[in-house]
């Protein structure tokens, strides 16, 4: 427990390399987009961080269900770790999106379905963390957390559909097109390569952070137990 | 849950829990009067903050009403669960030899009754304070139907989350924080459907939102039914 396992040490190193390579690919390798110019390069990290954010929330919802079925507290730790990491990555995705939107849409923020849903998603998981803070019994905290991630996991897609019934201006680059979208573009091969590489790099970074967060959870639990022993 | 009881006793249990709340409320009138006064105050505040003149009213009536219902609703949900917790009633209820989901449905029915009562009183008051062509449509079956569907969804999720919130340390502030992010679809759909009805738009515009409300209600009642056990487990 005291020192990091060998695989994790390697992962640390690989994650650093991948991050540097992803930065080089999106800033240097990919061509400058003709209409939008340099600001379009934000897109690669935006998509990759948003992907990691979604991945974590799906992991959290699945871990919640497994916890409710099995009652094994290990799944609660997995859920919490996933939510915390995703919260950070989703926030980065929103900030990067804003940086891109300012010159392209002419505004930092607009109440468009994806943006609104992203904001609500962040609120759901902030509420999740607040709820956990307010419950002391670990077993009950885990149950409440699992129930709430489940509720959130189902309500967020419904929220997206409900807001989608309005008009949307978010460009859909990957699947199909939307005639009302502003700032869409078609990707060259090297752009596609860069995007896929960034997604891959951030997925590896996610795994590394996830592992660290799980270790942190175990250590925190150990400290908790040692404290209890001291009191007794 | 192993020994199957006849289904009639399940419904009796649901009704007994709901009736217990309604009877207690009939005697004290604590909850309803608080919800009502609060709802009227919210409308009053909207009057000052939004300057509800004739044109503004046409556009924001649905939003004002649903915001009022949502705020007054949290007050009621919080209170109805806090009472159970404070006086140890919840433990008593949990000891009863009935399926625990019966407790959930009983509480949900009484919460829904309180919410509908508040809405029934707020709607005429609103239409008197802000008379216009559109407020005359507040009492059409379509509008009342949308109000009912929206309230069902709100209460279905609210009852579940209120029983979690009262068991947490920061219980008074917890419920709105937990409830509002997951209730967004209900509010969006209810407001849009209500607005379409008030502006006398075509029925097809209303139906898209009504369908969404029905889907939400069904999904979340089923979900609450499945997970309520985990929320009250000791």
């Amino acid at each position: 427990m005291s020192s990091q396992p060998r695989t994790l040490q390697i992962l640390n190193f690989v994650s650093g390399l991948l991050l540097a390579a992803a930065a080089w690919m999106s800033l240097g390798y990919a061509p400058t987009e003709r209409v939008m110019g340099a600001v379009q390069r934000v897109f690669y990290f935006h998509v990759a961080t948003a992907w990691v954010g979604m991945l974590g929330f799906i992991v959290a919802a699945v871990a919640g269900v497994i916890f409710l079925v099995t009652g094994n507290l290990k799944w609660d730790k997995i859920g919490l770790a996933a939510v915390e990491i995703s919260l950070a990555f989703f926030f980065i995705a929103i900030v990067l999106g804003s940086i891109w939107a300012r010159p392209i849409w002419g505004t930092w923020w607009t109440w468009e379905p994806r943006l609104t849903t992203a904001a609500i998603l962040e609120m759901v998981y902030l509420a999740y963390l607040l709820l956990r803070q307010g419950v002391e019994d670990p077993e009950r905290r885990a149950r409440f957390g699992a129930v709430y991630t489940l509720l959130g996991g189902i309500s967020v897609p419904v929220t997206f559909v409900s807001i989608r019934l309005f008009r949307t201006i978010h460009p859909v680059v990957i699947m199909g097109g939307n005639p009302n979208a502003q700032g869409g573009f078609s990707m060259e091969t090297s752009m596609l390569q860069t995007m896929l590489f960034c997604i891959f790099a951030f997925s590896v970074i996610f795994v590394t952070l996830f592992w660290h967060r799980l270790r942190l959870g175990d250590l925190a639990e150990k400290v908790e137990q040692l404290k209890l022993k001291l009191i007794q | 849950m192993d020994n199957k009881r006849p289904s009639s006793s399940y419904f009796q249990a649901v009704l007994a829990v709901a009736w217990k709340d309604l009877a207690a409320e009939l005697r004290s009138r604590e909850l309803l009067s608080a919800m009502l006064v609060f709802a009227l105050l919210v409308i009053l505040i909207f009057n000052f903050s939004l300057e509800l003149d004739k044109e503004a009213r046409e556009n924001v009536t649905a939003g004002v009403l649903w915001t009022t219902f949502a705020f007054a609703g949290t007050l009621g949900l919080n209170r109805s669960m806090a009472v159970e917790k404070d006086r140890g009633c919840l433990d008593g209820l949990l000891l009863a030899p009935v399926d625990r989901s019966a407790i959930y449905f009983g509480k949900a029915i009484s919460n829904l009754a309180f919410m509908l009562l508040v809405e029934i009183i707020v709607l005429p008051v609103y239409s008197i304070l802000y008379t216009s062509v559109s407020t005359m449509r507040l009492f059409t079956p379509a509008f009342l139907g949308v109000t009912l569907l929206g309230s069902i969804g709100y209460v279905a999720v609210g009852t579940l989350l209120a029983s979690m919130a009262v068991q947490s340390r920061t219980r008074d502030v917890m419920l709105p924080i937990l409830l509002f992010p997951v209730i967004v679809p209900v509010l969006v759909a209810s407001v849009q459907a209500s607005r379409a009805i008030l502006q006398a738009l075509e029925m097809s515009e209303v139906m898209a939102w009504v369908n969404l409300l029905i889907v939400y209600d069904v999904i979340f009642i089923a979900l609450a039914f499945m997970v309520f056990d985990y929320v009250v487990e000791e």
Side-chain angles (χ1 to χ4, degrees):
Chain A
M1 196 76 237
S2 54
S3 69
Q4 296 180 5
R6 189 105 188 106
T7 331
L8 183 56
Q9 284 173 353
I10 296 170
L11 263 178
N12 288 340
F13 184 68
V14 172
S15 299
L17 274 185
L18 282 173
L19 184 62
W24 175 77
M25 276 190 88
S26 45
L27 295 178
Y29 173 73
T32 307
E33 214 271 332
R34 211 179 314 128
V35 186
M36 288 183 272
V39 73
Q40 183 270 335
R41 295 178 185 278
V42 151
F43 161 81
Y44 305 110
F45 273 40
H46 171 68
V47 170
T49 47
W51 151 253
V52 169
M54 288 307 294
L55 188 70
F57 289 134
I58 293 166
V59 169
V62 172
V65 174
I66 298 178
F67 170 75
L68 288 181
V69 173
T70 63
N72 187 343
L73 278 172
K74 183 182 81 185
W75 290 100
D76 178 53
K77 274 186 239 157
I78 292 176
L80 175 64
V83 166
E84 277 187 5
I85 297 171
S86 288
L87 205 58
F89 273 91
F90 223 77
F91 185 71
I92 295 172
I94 290 175
V95 170
L96 289 176
S98 274
I99 293 171
W100 174 85
R102 178 73 186 126
I104 306 299
W105 290 343
T107 170
W108 295 108
W109 184 266
T110 158
W111 293 101
E112 177 274 342
R114 282 166 200 238
L115 275 69
T116 314
T117 311
I120 291 168
L121 191 65
E122 291 275 293
M123 298 311 292
V124 166
Y125 291 99
L126 279 177
Y128 166 86
L129 293 180
L130 282 174
L131 173 67
R132 293 186 66 101
Q133 242 173 35
V135 186
E136 263 140 44
D137 175 34
E139 208 262 332
R140 176 182 289 169
R141 182 167 59 213
R143 268 190 282 120
F144 284 12
V147 167
Y148 197 67
T149 42
L150 196 56
L151 267 177
I154 295 176
S155 105
V156 166
V158 182
T159 304
F160 181 70
V161 171
S162 72
I163 305 171
R164 186 118 212 207
L165 286 171
F166 297 126
R167 218 177 85 222
T168 170
I169 65 164
H170 192 287
V172 183
V173 180
I174 297 163
M175 296 268 281
N178 174 353
N180 294 324
Q182 294 171 15
F185 59 97
S186 52
M187 275 193 284
E188 266 181 50
T189 323
S190 55
M191 286 176 162
L192 188 67
Q193 284 167 351
T194 310
M195 187 188 84
L196 292 177
F197 182 79
C198 284
I199 289 177
F200 168 72
F202 274 94
S203 302
V204 174
I205 293 169
F206 173 76
V207 171
T208 314
L209 286 174
F210 195 57
W211 195 334
H212 279 293
R213 183 59 189 82
L214 284 178
R215 275 173 47 86
L216 182 67
D218 286 340
L219 289 172
E221 197 179 38
K222 251 192 181 165
V223 171
E224 205 60 35
Q225 281 167 356
L226 287 174
K227 268 188 193 163
L228 278 178
K229 257 187 199 159
L230 272 179
I231 296 166
Q232 282 162 1
Chain B
M1 272 191 276
D2 310 312
N3 48 337
K4 285 255 184 273
R5 267 173 282 275
S7 62
S8 67
S9 81
Y10 184 83
F11 288 112
Q12 275 168 10
V14 171
L15 288 179
V17 174
W19 178 244
K20 165 191 81 68
D21 279 7
L22 293 175
E25 188 52 37
L26 219 60
R27 283 176 205 143
S28 69
R29 294 191 191 85
E30 269 176 356
L31 186 59
L32 261 183
S33 45
M35 280 172 84
L36 254 178
V37 172
F38 183 76
L40 295 176
L41 282 173
V42 172
I43 288 185
L44 200 74
I45 290 172
F46 270 124
N47 178 43
F48 297 124
S49 54
L50 289 183
E51 297 225 28
L52 290 172
D53 53 25
K54 273 239 151 58
E55 289 112 82
R57 253 179 258 166
E58 299 296 327
N59 292 319
V60 300
T61 291
V64 166
L65 283 173
W66 275 101
T67 312
T68 308
F69 297 157
F71 285 172
T74 43
L75 213 65
L77 288 169
N78 236 339
R79 182 92 192 113
S80 100
M81 273 303 177
V83 168
E84 301 284 1
K85 190 71 188 162
D86 284 345
R87 301 177 195 163
C89 297
L90 193 60
D91 298 329
L93 276 178
L94 293 177
L95 284 176
V98 291
D99 196 299
R100 280 177 177 172
S101 59
I103 300 170
Y104 166 78
F105 283 118
K107 292 300 286 184
I109 287 173
S110 62
N111 285 332
L112 181 65
F114 295 146
M115 193 152 170
L116 291 178
L117 271 174
V118 170
E119 288 164 353
I120 285 170
I121 300 172
V122 165
L123 286 180
V125 172
Y126 186 91
S127 76
I128 291 168
L129 291 178
Y130 303 109
T131 323
S132 76
V133 191
S134 65
T135 47
M136 296 316 288
R137 299 195 196 94
L138 286 177
F139 305 100
T140 53
F143 188 90
L144 296 177
V146 167
T147 310
L148 177 67
L149 282 176
S151 305
I152 290 175
Y154 183 89
V155 166
V157 179
T159 306
L160 178 71
L161 289 177
S163 40
M164 272 183 359
V166 292
Q167 296 180 68
S168 76
R169 199 156 13 98
T170 45
R171 63 188 206 181
D172 293 325
V173 291
M174 213 55 237
L175 179 64
I177 292 175
L178 291 178
L179 181 57
F180 289 153
V182 290
I183 210 76
V184 170
V186 171
L187 290 181
V188 172
S190 302
V191 169
Q192 293 304 323
S194 307
R195 178 180 293 155
I197 293 170
L198 291 181
Q199 295 180 342
L201 297 182
E202 277 181 41
M203 224 32 210
S204 60
E205 298 232 359
V206 182
M207 281 322 283
W209 297 110
V210 169
N211 289 339
L212 187 71
L213 274 178
I214 293 172
V215 167
Y216 186 95
D217 287 1
V218 170
I219 290 177
F220 281 88
I221 289 173
L223 188 69
F225 171 69
M226 287 190 283
V227 299
F228 186 71
D229 257 9
Y230 298 108
V231 170
V232 292
E233 201 175 273
E234 281 304 319

